[in-house]
Amino acid sequence: MSDYVWVSNALTEVSLTGKLETDVWQNDREGARAAQRANEEGEPVSPEVCPKRVWGDDRAPFFEKLPDLISAQAHWIVSAKAADILRKFDLGQGGLYPVSEGVYQADNVTRAKGDYFTWIFGATKSGLLPDQSQGLRPPQAEGLWYNFPWKMSDGVVAVSADVLSGPDVWLDHNLFQSLFLSRDLGDALDQAKLRRAFRMYKAIVI
């Protein structure tokens, strides 16, 4: 594969939906929903509507720490290990906002290990090449988006070279719930053994 970026299908993974509660959903549900919608559109999100405190819900088992990437009531949360890598790259209008009060067990008293951050994506690009990709599920109606193949692998998704400029993280609304990362950023996450956590695959650049 001569040139590539990385594509993640993490946003489609039900397994990454944590059994978690957040202060913003309890205190300002409408604001939290607006933040979720903005993040899904690749728009900036104010830190005021991002979680400051996260805890297990009444279904949550005991956990020593959170995974490196997980959804907490529609907010995407990353570990300090992942954040340390992400912040070295161009996040566009996105950002990493500290879960400053910490992450707790279901009792909302016992603190879990580690520091965590809300990840705002903050950019969009239109680079998907459906005809050059393999196995994409076509739109259900004209003008809608493609969906990931049922089984993902490296080289399945193809994108144009237009995506090589601009931020290192972006959404492409032509591929439903897709999250793209530049080659350098994806390589850095891969080298840190975070490829599986971020559900990343190489996408060919044509």
Side-chain angles (χ1 to χ4, degrees):
M1 190 179 297
S2 58
D3 202 1
Y4 61 88
V5 294
W6 294 83
V7 61
S8 167
N9 64 354
L11 307 191
T12 71
E13 285 280 349
V14 175
S15 62
L16 292 180
T17 302
K19 298 179 175 66
L20 300 168
E21 303 275 359
T22 66
D23 56 343
V24 291
W25 273 81
Q26 286 210 347
N27 301 331
D28 182 11
R29 186 154 298 187
E30 287 307 310
R33 285 181 175 143
Q36 175 191 355
R37 290 191 295 268
N39 201 28
E40 290 173 349
E41 291 297 319
E43 298 172 355
V45 175
S46 167
E48 283 72 30
V49 287
C50 293
K52 304 295 186 297
R53 188 181 186 95
V54 174
W55 63 95
D57 67 16
D58 55 10
R59 303 165 298 157
F62 177 86
F63 52 91
E64 184 176 347
K65 60 182 181 179
L66 291 182
D68 292 294
L69 176 66
I70 195 165
S71 173
Q73 291 185 319
H75 296 273
W76 285 94
I77 307 295
V78 297
S79 66
K81 176 182 178 180
D84 286 346
I85 296 169
L86 289 167
R87 66 169 55 96
K88 295 176 183 176
F89 291 85
D90 180 1
L91 301 182
Q93 297 186 88
L96 295 159
Y97 302 132
V99 181
S100 55
E101 295 181 18
V103 172
Y104 295 82
Q105 305 298 328
D107 62 9
N108 204 2
V109 174
T110 307
R111 187 162 182 167
K113 291 183 178 179
D115 295 320
Y116 299 92
F117 300 80
T118 301
W119 183 18
I120 302 303
F121 308 130
T124 61
K125 301 179 188 180
S126 295
L128 182 69
L129 298 174
D131 293 341
Q132 305 294 327
S133 301
Q134 302 174 38
L136 296 185
R137 290 178 285 149
Q140 297 298 307
E142 186 176 354
L144 294 182
W145 49 79
Y146 285 81
N147 285 276
F148 282 104
W150 292 116
K151 185 174 182 179
M152 273 293 291
S153 60
D154 287 346
V156 165
V157 175
V159 296
S160 72
D162 293 341
V163 305
L164 298 179
S165 61
D168 290 289
V169 177
W170 69 95
L171 306 175
D172 189 327
H173 294 316
N174 294 310
L175 181 57
F176 185 62
Q177 290 191 317
S178 59
L179 175 63
F180 285 85
L181 309 166
S182 70
R183 177 173 182 163
D184 288 346
L185 172 51
D187 285 354
L189 291 168
D190 185 29
Q191 290 163 12
K193 303 188 184 305
L194 292 174
R195 177 174 179 170
R196 181 179 175 84
F198 276 67
R199 307 299 198 270
M200 299 191 319
Y201 302 87
K202 290 179 180 178
I204 58 174
V205 176
I206 296 175

